[in-house]
Amino acid sequence: MRGPSAWKSYLPRSRRQWLLIALLGTLAAVVSALFLVPGADTTQRATSVPTSPPPRSQPAAAQGPAVGALPEPVDVAVSPGEPQTLDFTAYAENTARALYTWDTRTSSYTQVYSHVRSWWLVLEDGSNPLTVYTKEFEGTGINSAAFAQLSTYGAYRTATVIQTSCDKALAQFRDHPAPWIGLHVCTMTLSVTDRSTADPHATAYRVPVSVMVNCPPAVTAPARRCALAGFYTSASRIVY
């Protein structure tokens, strides 16, 4: 059994060992801190990064037209009987004749009403709604009730163009030009004749009608032909 003197000789050596262990522990803690701190920072940064790559930048066309850019004209199917031409005057004259030409013996009112309506190309700004078509079409002197009555007499109507003035030949057009290039206005004088199988006497008279035709290069027109944008048969709206 060791005495007090033995303990005295042992204790100093034991303190040195503990000091060494403590020093090594401190060094290990410092080294661990050097490695662990960056690791924690990396983890924090990783949580702020999207888990998927950012979307590819879209081309300009997909994001919408650039400021000042205009959409390309598109093809629009030609309706039955509709003129397929770039000649706006010819288109307007054909429209005027079609509005005042019908035959109760071979067509119903629905067919007559829908014939020119199918040519009418409604503009994106809604400035020429089909409600206008109905009003102006009935301004030709025909509606469903009148047509039904006339059909009992075998009535029919024909029309020919005897005078045409377009665009700058019209004083109102010169004062108030069309809002875009490609929109044309023509006013025609028609010779109209009403006949019926029940009456051998024909009734002839003249009427004015104004027709608006939309043609290239207007972006609101079909790509390779003109289209009907509107017409006026009401006396207060005829363009002179």
Side-chain angles (χ1 to χ4, degrees), residues 212-232:
M212 279 64 70
V213 181
N214 209 22
C215 305
V219 296
T220 51
R224 287 177 286 274
R225 65 179 183 85
C226 297
L228 178 62
F231 62 84
Y232 295 133

Side-chain angles (χ1 to χ4, degrees), residues 94-238:
N94 273 277
T95 301
R97 280 192 294 268
L99 288 171
Y100 283 90
T101 301
W102 44 261
D103 190 338
T104 63
R105 300 168 300 177
T106 57
S107 302
S108 67
Y109 175 74
T110 299
Q111 291 173 319
V112 172
Y113 173 85
S114 302
H115 180 54
V116 177
R117 176 175 170 170
S118 65
W119 305 0
W120 186 291
L121 182 61
V122 177
L123 301 175
E124 293 182 0
D125 63 3
S127 60
N128 63 335
L130 289 173
T131 53
V132 174
Y133 175 86
T134 301
K135 179 179 180 298
E136 298 301 324
F137 179 81
E138 292 182 350
T140 64
I142 191 72
N143 55 35
S144 58
F147 194 90
Q149 184 176 4
L150 290 170
S151 64
T152 62
Y153 302 105
Y156 56 100
R157 174 181 287 175
T158 58
T160 57
V161 177
I162 59 176
Q163 183 179 354
T164 302
S165 299
C166 297
D167 294 349
K168 292 183 179 180
L170 301 167
Q172 293 174 352
F173 185 95
R174 292 196 304 268
D175 294 339
H176 305 282
W180 61 78
I181 297 175
L183 181 63
H184 304 276
V185 181
C186 293
T187 296
M188 289 137 289
T189 300
L190 300 180
S191 176
V192 179
T193 303
D194 289 338
R195 299 181 175 87
S196 73
T197 56
D199 187 350
H201 301 288
T203 302
Y205 51 95
R206 293 184 178 185
V207 296
V209 56
S210 294
V211 178
M212 279 64 70
V213 181
N214 209 22
C215 305
V219 296
T220 51
R224 287 177 286 274
R225 65 179 183 85
C226 297
L228 178 62
F231 62 84
Y232 295 133
T233 59
S234 303
S236 61
R237 306 194 72 177
I238 299 295

Side-chain angles (χ1 to χ4, degrees), residues 13-74:
R13 187 171 65 249
S14 177
R15 289 192 184 99
R16 287 194 298 270
Q17 290 175 346
W18 281 108
L19 288 174
L20 180 60
I21 292 172
L23 180 61
L24 292 175
T26 302
L27 181 61
V30 172
V31 172
S32 298
L34 291 175
F35 283 95
L36 290 176
V37 171
D41 183 59
T42 303
T43 303
Q44 184 178 3
R45 289 197 304 269
T47 59
S48 64
V49 176
T51 56
S52 60
R56 297 179 181 178
S57 59
Q58 299 296 324
Q63 296 174 357
V67 176
L70 295 174
E72 291 294 328
V74 296

